[in-house]
Amino acid sequence: MRIDASTELFGIIGRPVGHSLSPAMHNAAFEHWGINAVYLAFETDSPAKAADAARTLGIKGLSVTVPHKETIMDFLDEIDETARQIGAVNTVKNLEGHLSGTNTDWIGAVEALRAVTEIKGRRIVVLGAGGSARAAVYGLTRAGALVHIANRTVEKAGRLAREFGCSFSGLDELSQTEADILINTTSVGMTPLQNISPVPEKELDRFSVVMDIVYGSKKTRLITDAERHGCRTVPGTQMLLHQAAAQFEYWTERQAPFEVMKKALLEAATR
Ligand code: ATR
């Protein structure tokens, strides 16, 4: 890779980002197209300063991750309707100092699921009612799914469900919900809750597809349990890959080299 005076800079902001898999995917995509650009990880507590830095230094694009996806919105010049409805920005584009924000997490959720099954008209239970759930519910309802939201704190499930026209319940009432696709958006399965599944194993039999948005170097407990029960499974790396492909296209207006990005992601995830 050539780095010189005209190399363009992209990156991810968040905390922590030291183990982010995004640099591997985006740098592989730039290299594939011969684009003179690099993508780095910037660990920061300040989305305001990161936005200033992008304007001052001419950083062309930023991925935004936890905990800045909501707060970054105050420091942008423009936010598209999608990001506004989801209430979070995960992608920023800088056009001569004008920062625009969008959200590609919903594309990640929809495309990762669509790769294994039809979505329109399907009954899907989404576990969780936080920021990741919002993006998934936005995407799945737009794609024509009938979504049920199950969350530990039932009031939060109710608020999200009313906004997007879904049904809802507590996480402990899962056995009474009618659905054949299950998506976990809770943080159960992430450190420090790794090796824990948000769903009792006996509940998994009735789901034809189980998708997790949690990812790590190993399969989550939910995914290994679901495999054992004969469900088709979609690990969290798939959502990460599809949202990154959409980011790459938003920044560069070129087709994301999907297989190249996938290979880079899987290599980085097992490193
Ligand atoms: P994110 O932006 O990643 O979605 P978040 O907005 O903090 O993160 O949401 C975390 C989600 O995981 C919430 O739905 C949370 O449930 P509550 O609304 O009841 O807090 C869920 N969650 C976190 N820890 C959990 C646990 N131990 N058991 C069940 N759900 C859990």
Side-chain angles (χ1 to χ4, degrees):
M1 189 169 68
R2 192 189 70 184
I3 294 180
D4 59 20
S6 54
T7 301
E8 292 186 332
L9 186 53
F10 292 77
I12 181 166
I13 59 163
R15 182 176 288 273
V17 291
H19 296 289
S20 171
L21 301 171
S22 296
M25 286 187 284
H26 287 295
N27 286 319
F30 288 139
E31 198 175 329
H32 170 83
W33 277 114
I35 297 172
N36 186 1
V38 291
Y39 181 109
L40 302 175
F42 301 111
E43 192 149 299
T44 177
D45 287 324
S46 174
K49 288 182 183 167
D52 276 349
R55 287 190 187 93
T56 307
L57 303 178
I59 297 171
K60 296 290 181 197
L62 289 171
S63 306
V64 184
T65 189
V66 178
H68 303 321
K69 287 186 190 185
E70 288 93 15
T71 43
I72 189 71
M73 295 172 84
D74 290 339
F75 309 106
L76 304 178
D77 301 299
E78 191 183 324
I79 294 162
D80 74 6
E81 188 49 31
T82 302
R84 221 176 267 292
Q85 281 190 38
I86 294 172
V89 160
N90 81 324
T91 311
V92 175
K93 184 173 184 170
N94 178 6
L95 281 178
E96 290 169 13
H98 182 91
L99 300 188
S100 313
T102 189
N103 190 305
T104 67
D105 285 333
W106 70 278
I107 300 174
V110 168
E111 293 305 321
L113 188 59
R114 193 173 271 149
V116 301
T117 188
E118 172 84 24
I119 296 178
K120 194 167 190 305
R122 301 293 292 279
R123 292 188 181 277
I124 302 179
V125 58
V126 171
L127 310 182
S132 309
R134 278 189 76 85
V137 169
Y138 170 87
L140 296 168
T141 51
R142 264 175 62 115
L146 304 165
V147 176
H148 179 92
I149 300 163
N151 193 47
R152 177 178 62 179
T153 310
V154 70
E155 294 77 20
K156 267 171 75 180
R159 279 200 293 275
L160 184 58
R162 276 188 287 278
E163 219 176 306
F164 290 96
C166 306
S167 55
F168 70 97
S169 67
L171 194 55
D172 49 359
E173 296 162 281
L174 196 61
S175 58
Q176 292 144 47
T177 61
E178 219 184 285
D180 77 330
I181 298 174
L182 179 136
I183 302 178
N184 175 46
T185 76
T186 74
S187 32
V188 179
M190 261 177 224
T191 314
L193 301 174
Q194 72 271 40
N195 297 323
I196 302 176
S197 169
V199 185
E201 207 180 322
K202 62 177 171 24
E203 301 272 353
L204 290 172
D205 277 336
R206 67 198 162 96
F207 296 106
S208 61
V209 179
V210 171
M211 174 164 134
D212 204 342
I213 69 156
V214 176
Y215 62 87
S217 52
K218 285 197 327 198
K219 283 179 188 168
T220 58
R221 173 78 184 273
L222 172 63
I223 292 293
T224 53
D225 286 355
E227 280 174 352
R228 214 171 24 250
H229 284 260
C231 314
R232 252 178 303 165
T233 57
V234 185
T237 42
Q238 292 302 304
M239 170 162 169
L240 186 70
L241 176 61
H242 284 277
Q243 66 76 32
Q247 288 186 323
F248 184 83
E249 291 180 354
Y250 179 71
W251 290 325
T252 64
E253 289 166 13
R254 294 204 202 187
Q255 193 174 7
F258 193 77
E259 291 304 322
V260 168
M261 294 176 82
K262 184 174 175 179
K263 182 165 175 276
L265 169 66
L266 296 180
E267 276 170 14
T270 49
R271 208 171 281 148

